[in-house]
Amino acid sequence: MGDRPAEVRIHDFLEVDTGFSPEEAIAEANRCLQCKKPACVDGCPVNINIPVFIAEIAEGNFANAAVSIKTQNMLPAICGRVCPQETQCEILCILGNKDKPIRIGQLERFAADEERRTGIKPQDKKPSTGKRVAVIGSGPAGITAAGELAREGHSVVMYESLHLPGGVLTYGIPAFRLPKDVVNAELDQVLKLGVEVKLNHFVGKSVSLSELLTYDAVMLGTGAGLPYFMNIPGEHLNGVYSANEFLTRVNLMHADQFPRFDTPIAKASRVVVVGGGNVAMDAARTARRMGAKVTLVYRRRSEDLPARLAEIHHAEEEGIEFITCANPTRILGEQVVTGVECVRMQMCELDASGRPAAKPIDGDTFTLDCDVVIQAIGQGPNPVLVREIEGIERGRAGNVIADGDGKTSHPKIFAAGDVTTGAATVILAMGGAKKAAQSICSYLTSK
Amino acid sequence: MYTIEKSNEIADKIFEIWVDAPHVARNAQAGQFVIIRIDETGERIPLTISRARGDLVRIVFMAVGKTTHALAAIKPGGNIADIVGPLGHPSEVKSWGTCVIVGGGAGISSTPCIAEALKKAGNKVIGIIGARNAGMLIFEDEMREICDELHVTTDDGSKGRHGFAADVLKETVADQKIDAVWIIGPAIMMKITSMATRDKGIKTFVSLNPIMVDGTGMCGSCRCQVAGKTVFACVDGPEFDAHEVDFDLLMQRQRYYMEQEKEAIALWNQHGCSCAEGK
Ligand SMILES: Cc1cc2nc3c(=O)[nH]c(=O)nc-3n(C[C@H](O)[C@H](O)[C@H](O)COP(=O)(O)OP(=O)(O)OC[C@H]3O[C@@H](n4cnc5c(N)ncnc54)[C@H](O)[C@@H]3O)c2cc1C
Ligand SMILES: Cc1cc2nc3c(=O)[nH]c(=O)nc-3n(C[C@H](O)[C@H](O)[C@H](O)COP(=O)(O)OP(=O)(O)OC[C@H]3O[C@@H](n4cnc5c(N)ncnc54)[C@H](O)[C@@H]3O)c2cc1C
Ligand code: SF4
Ligand code: FES
């Protein structure tokens, strides 16, 4: 197992982490203590029976391992790659106290990859209930809810506004972290349960609200696709992108392969990425692969970077320069970007989020020359459909308010994923979607 | 896949196609647009809905670059990979009183639909359509049928009045009380023409055409400045108050990919089709 060397991988979009070999997987699985009360499971938002699937791997029964995971999680090859295991299951693994925790994520990925390689068994589903459910959005939340509902025998129509399904898995997370054939294979398994997908349907526009409400229930999984901008001078100059736009042009539209693909993107030689989360790392590493020298500017300290440790490490290996404790104040240029003016930040006492507050140091500024600026400072819930639904309760950030079971203030409408939480994670969206699907099932049977 | 039922060159380099897209047609309203993608390697481009009939959507476009040339080359019975819509807010159709609708070039394509909706809402509708020359004028008959009054201009005087639509608009607002104006055309034409109504404070709408990607408010590519605020034309528009729009910024952002656009059309011209070898 290991990462492909940085000097090789910055020239392509192939996967960085090559995963376990069967021998490595079995050896790692054999380290598991098979705890009677497995702490690791408490950390998993979808309650995968971790020791059980690890035991199957240890025995060499890779296919059984995958089947076991999929009773709880229909997207194991995806989750095995992008879940923040280090802060979920792995941090709770008992072995972490003395030694290294079990690499649960890598094992999950291994089981799923093996199953895909050797042929996937179709899943069981219950007889038809005659109930119709509309699922809006085909990201992790939508796809999970659709799968759960289809397994229960409901007839499911999933609507997606883009021309491909998958949400952020398709247009956001780059292929070097999450290959698109992996996404497609797992989506396919869910669709094989009989879910009907309608692409190019922007619900609220292509499908009216009244038409939507003719379904017996509606599940909202429209995500957090609204990009935030910093509102600083120069933001409208050519060459200033939101991370969403930059990543969509490359991942969904293949602008990196222009002119073979028709979508253009700036040919940048120096790129400044603003932000410090996973999205910022993805944008930076994508720009690097397109040949640019990349600098990432983050307003807090390096130990405060919210991205996964592995991704920060990968970014550093790939030659991305990090400037921490600095924040852009102005984007320079006439028509096209030529640079960014930043101010140094000083770290003060902890703020409400428990992190040290960052305050600008007056007059302590510097300039970075560049031809592209990518803002990766966060996204909000996609407002377009939600704001048109009368009587649905919303939070201050525009998120749909749903209780722990995915119920909204509208009796027929359920919601999960980033549209309820704001930008979060794949697995939290999936966990929420499973609960919402359960609520939909009980709502449909009680009707 | 979506079938192109009909396709015609209706004026010099201006094409009309009818696409079989029931999901778009059944909810389409005046002022809205679609985003299409021709094939697997294609770009997503926005085009106004010129009309909807049954399951069909009419789109009218000028062949300017790679994608619009390729679209024009598709024969009736051929397909495009994707069409999503209707997108954006519909035009603000209500009982205004007397309305003027100004269309320039390919922008004339969206005027019949808006004119008709306004007419139905009980307005008096005056149409002004202008093109570079007689060969590039479209929908004169359609507009004449709908509008109470129609004025035609050409830049070179080859048809109708010699001059610009803006000249006729200036006279019209000087002559009578006008309650609302729509101006649809190239950014520079909208900028200049909307000056004719500014002093009189006449409510004037323009339909902005920035570069888009998703058309659903997700990327921010289409951001414009209106009344000093950032808006996303795809979901907050595409129609905005003309007197509040920063047109210079719009034009600046439209030019960003000029070099790549040239490269793409050169490749297209060399090969002239959208098969794999041409890419
Ligand atoms: C670049 C990037 C990297 C990330 N990296 C990680 C990571 O490493 N690990 C991790 O766990 N999380 C990561 N995340 C976060 C994670 O991807 C999201 O939390 C997750 O995708 C949310 O799932 P969702 O289903 O709620 O929404 P989304 O994935 O956003 O899907 C919503 C879908 O709904 C569609 N839609 C919206 N409105 C409508 C409508 N009206 N009609 C029809 N369709 C509509 C959208 O087009 C979209 O396809 C990352 C996010 C980004 C942007
Ligand atoms: C809401 C909206 C409605 C529109 N309606 C019409 C219409 O009804 N008829 C019509 O002829 N044109 C319309 N346009 C403009 C049309 O989208 C562009 O002409 C088209 O994208 C050109 O593509 P191309 O590859 O042929 O040309 P290119 O060579 O790529 O570009 C030519 C010009 O088109 C603009 N453009 C390029 N790519 C895009 C893009 N992805 N999105 C928007 N603009 C782009 C640029 O300003 C460029 O200078 C509309 C644009 C918008 C935003
Ligand atoms: S806590 Fe660690 S050792 Fe115990 S069962 Fe879970 S993975 Fe195995
Ligand atoms: S086109 Fe992406 S936000 Fe408007």
Side-chain angles (χ1 to χ4, degrees), chain B residues 28-31 49-52 58 93 101 108-118 142-143 146:
Chain B
Q29 293 175 63
I49 298 169
S50 169
R51 231 176 229 300
R58 179 172 76 184
V93 173
I101 305 182
I108 301 172
S109 74
S110 27
T111 56
C113 211
I114 302 175
E116 200 170 63
L118 286 168
E142 232 170 88
M143 281 296 278
I146 301 163

Side-chain angles (χ1 to χ4, degrees), chain A residues 69-90:
Chain A
I69 298 170
K70 281 199 295 188
T71 58
Q72 298 302 326
N73 177 351
M74 279 188 268
L75 310 174
I78 294 169
C79 290
R81 286 171 165 84
V82 302
C83 270
Q85 294 98 7
E86 63 280 5
T87 59
Q88 295 181 155
C89 51
E90 291 179 9

Side-chain angles (χ1 to χ4, degrees), chain A residues 30 56 64 90 102 139 146 151 163 185 294 306 314 349 385 387 394 402 431 443:
Chain A
N30 273 313
E56 296 283 8
N64 291 356
E90 291 179 9
I102 297 286
R151 284 213 277 215
H163 58 263
V294 183
H314 282 148
E349 60 286 351
L385 170 60
R387 71 186 170 201
R394 290 196 287 154
Y443 168 75

Side-chain angles (χ1 to χ4, degrees), chain A residues 278-336:
Chain A
N278 285 325
V279 182
M281 297 304 148
D282 283 346
R285 297 173 67 199
T286 298
R288 182 82 187 103
R289 279 164 176 72
M290 290 169 62
K293 182 175 181 308
V294 183
T295 305
L296 187 137
V297 178
Y298 178 59
R299 63 192 176 131
R300 301 173 200 265
R301 303 166 304 176
S302 41
E303 57 266 46
D304 302 320
L305 283 164
R308 291 182 68 190
L309 223 62
E311 305 314 333
I312 298 167
H313 181 65
H314 282 148
E316 279 169 344
E317 282 180 345
E318 288 166 11
I320 286 152
E321 180 194 12
F322 285 67
I323 299 181
T324 52
C325 290
N327 206 27
T329 46
R330 199 150 59 101
I331 298 171
L332 311 168
E334 267 177 53
Q335 305 214 4
V336 182

Side-chain angles (χ1 to χ4, degrees), chain B residues 51 58 101 108 111-116 119 124-130 134 137-154 158-161 168:
Chain B
R51 231 176 229 300
R58 179 172 76 184
I101 305 182
I108 301 172
T111 56
C113 211
I114 302 175
E116 200 170 63
K119 193 74 201 156
K124 178 181 174 194
V125 179
I126 301 171
I128 306 173
I129 57 176
L137 194 71
I138 56 171
F139 296 146
E140 186 184 346
D141 295 346
E142 232 170 88
M143 281 296 278
R144 199 171 296 286
E145 219 166 272
I146 301 163
C147 297
D148 296 283
E149 221 178 272
L150 183 74
H151 305 269
V152 173
T153 68
T154 47
S158 51
K159 186 157 199 191
R161 179 164 153 180
V168 182

Side-chain angles (χ1 to χ4, degrees), chain A residues 163 260 338:
Chain A
H163 58 263
R260 194 166 90 74
T338 55

Side-chain angles (χ1 to χ4, degrees), chain A residues 392-419:
Chain A
I392 201 164
E393 209 185 317
R394 290 196 287 154
R396 272 230 322 253
N399 55 309
V400 173
I401 298 200
D403 68 8
D405 295 321
K407 292 189 190 118
T408 72
S409 55
H410 191 298
K412 231 185 204 188
I413 302 179
F414 300 76
D418 283 4
V419 71

